[in-house]
Amino acid sequence: MPVLAAASAFGVLQRRRSRRVRVRGRDDGKRLRAAELGADLGERATLVQFSSAFCAPCRATRRVLGEVAGLVPGVTHVEIDAEAHLDLVRRLDILKTPTVLVLDADGSVVRRATGQPRKVDVIAALGEAV
């Protein structure tokens, strides 16, 4: 019975962690170009979302980032299929989806977050990029 209790506790902890948004600062000078993204960079900032096909939080993240890009002039949202761009995933150390990178106008990574972000957090993160 103790093994079952430990497994249940682990499951609860894992669910709690998987819903949490984790934010990091700059990524040691990592930079993305339009050719790597398959889309133009935004005039002021770019929200890059790494997604996978069966990721439910990715759909909600797509909606939030699209709304923010529509609200803030000069901001573009680009979604990248992580499975189709494994070289980029490895280079940027993307470990789970959704992962959102906030790029400044030059394509430098200003912020990184994993998990489903809230709209106010995305807008706040854009403050560093613009």
Side-chain angles (χ1 to χ4, degrees):
M1 205 60 155
V3 173
L4 184 57
S8 296
F10 177 76
V12 169
L13 180 63
Q14 188 63 23
R15 275 193 305 266
R16 217 177 263 160
R17 280 186 178 166
S18 67
R19 288 188 208 133
R20 194 177 320 154
V21 174
R22 296 176 185 241
V23 178
R24 286 186 3 202
R26 291 192 178 271
D27 270 357
D28 300 325
K30 290 183 180 170
R31 194 170 172 181
L32 294 169
R33 296 182 313 269
E36 294 171 301
L37 297 176
D40 291 334
L41 293 171
E43 289 177 27
R44 298 176 66 197
T46 305
L47 301 169
V48 179
Q49 174 185 349
F50 284 87
S51 299
S52 54
F54 299 104
C55 168
C58 293
R59 289 187 291 276
T61 299
R62 178 184 312 121
R63 182 182 46 77
V64 168
L65 298 181
E67 288 175 10
V68 171
L71 287 172
V72 183
V75 174
T76 302
H77 171 228
V78 176
E79 186 171 6
I80 296 176
D81 179 6
E83 296 172 43
H85 295 86
L86 290 176
D87 55 331
L88 197 55
V89 166
R90 287 185 189 109
R91 184 167 71 86
L92 296 170
D93 300 319
I94 306 296
L95 301 177
K96 65 186 279 188
T97 58
T99 293
V100 177
L101 305 178
V102 179
L103 311 180
D104 64 13
D106 296 326
S108 296
V109 178
V110 175
R111 275 286 204 224
R112 164 193 286 253
T114 57
Q116 183 180 335
R118 297 178 313 159
K119 187 186 293 188
V120 294
D121 296 330
V122 175
I123 292 170
L126 280 173
E128 290 186 45
V130 295

